[in-house]
Amino acid sequence: MKIVESKLINATPGMVWEIIQDPGNMPAWNHKCVFSETPNEIIVGAQFAVAYQMSRERQEMRGEIIGYEPERLIHFRYSGEQNGKLSVVDEILELESRGADKVLVRNIVDITKSGLPKWVQVLAFVLSKIGRKMGDGPLDHIEGLIPKF
């Protein structure tokens, strides 16, 4: 089950890239991420520690950079144990230039192997499609980190 969100941001791809390509910046743009370290090198295969807080439950995970195309795509994989089972979540951020100072940012989160019950996955998918937005999401926070030019 993939949850997809898109947002057109007034910035260049390079400005957005500077924020998203470093896993250490995640807590600034994803409020469910309470900790993430910067790997020694930001390259495919680099691993890092990451922690997410969902409701009252904190989940420590291992992150890995799976895909890396400067100013175009970064693919993170988070893995850890949830309820005694392996949990794997993929997150892809894609950038598509839309003129001189605009970029379409697509956030794709694949929760198929997350260990969440199927009904929770379906509910999350349906709410992402037809539900009313409740507060700012990661793409809103990325936009808020862009220096005004």
Side-chain angles (χ1 to χ4, degrees), residues 36-88:
S36 187
E37 65 184 10
T38 297
N40 292 334
E41 289 185 88
I42 300 175
I43 58 172
V44 170
Q47 296 184 6
F48 54 95
V50 63
Y52 286 91
Q53 184 92 29
M54 310 287 188
S55 300
R56 293 181 299 271
E57 187 178 327
R58 180 179 168 124
Q59 186 171 10
E60 306 283 334
M61 302 185 88
R62 188 196 73 185
E64 183 176 354
I65 298 173
I66 301 298
Y68 185 90
E69 297 174 33
E71 296 190 18
R72 191 177 123 29
L73 174 143
I74 189 131
H75 180 167
F76 298 112
R77 175 166 292 151
Y78 315 110
S79 57
E81 191 175 306
Q82 182 172 324
N83 302 324
K85 295 181 182 176
L86 178 64
S87 172
V88 177

Side-chain angles (χ1 to χ4, degrees), residues 7-56:
K7 184 171 182 102
L8 188 62
I9 295 177
N10 291 320
T12 65
M15 294 167 83
V16 175
W17 185 253
E18 284 303 310
I19 295 167
I20 66 170
Q21 57 97 24
D22 180 354
N25 291 336
M26 277 185 208
W29 57 264
N30 184 340
H31 287 289
K32 292 178 180 152
C33 180
V34 293
F35 170 80
S36 187
E37 65 184 10
T38 297
N40 292 334
E41 289 185 88
I42 300 175
I43 58 172
V44 170
Q47 296 184 6
F48 54 95
V50 63
Y52 286 91
Q53 184 92 29
M54 310 287 188
S55 300
R56 293 181 299 271

Side-chain angles (χ1 to χ4, degrees), residues 5 7 9-13 15-21 25-26 28-31 74 76 91-95 103 105-107 136-148:
E5 182 183 6
K7 184 171 182 102
I9 295 177
N10 291 320
T12 65
M15 294 167 83
V16 175
W17 185 253
E18 284 303 310
I19 295 167
I20 66 170
Q21 57 97 24
N25 291 336
M26 277 185 208
W29 57 264
N30 184 340
H31 287 289
I74 189 131
F76 298 112
E91 180 172 28
I92 301 169
L93 291 136
E94 297 176 335
L95 306 179
V103 61
V105 183
R106 212 172 278 110
N107 186 11
D136 291 341
L139 298 182
D140 298 309
H141 294 292
I142 290 169
E143 182 177 44
L145 294 170
I146 301 291
K148 303 300 176 205

Side-chain angles (χ1 to χ4, degrees), residues 1-3 111 116-132:
M1 190 77 41
K2 293 181 181 178
I3 299 168
I111 59 173
L116 292 171
K118 289 292 179 203
W119 72 268
V120 173
Q121 292 182 37
V122 170
L123 180 63
F125 175 78
V126 169
L127 289 175
S128 76
K129 295 295 180 197
I130 63 170
R132 197 173 112 230

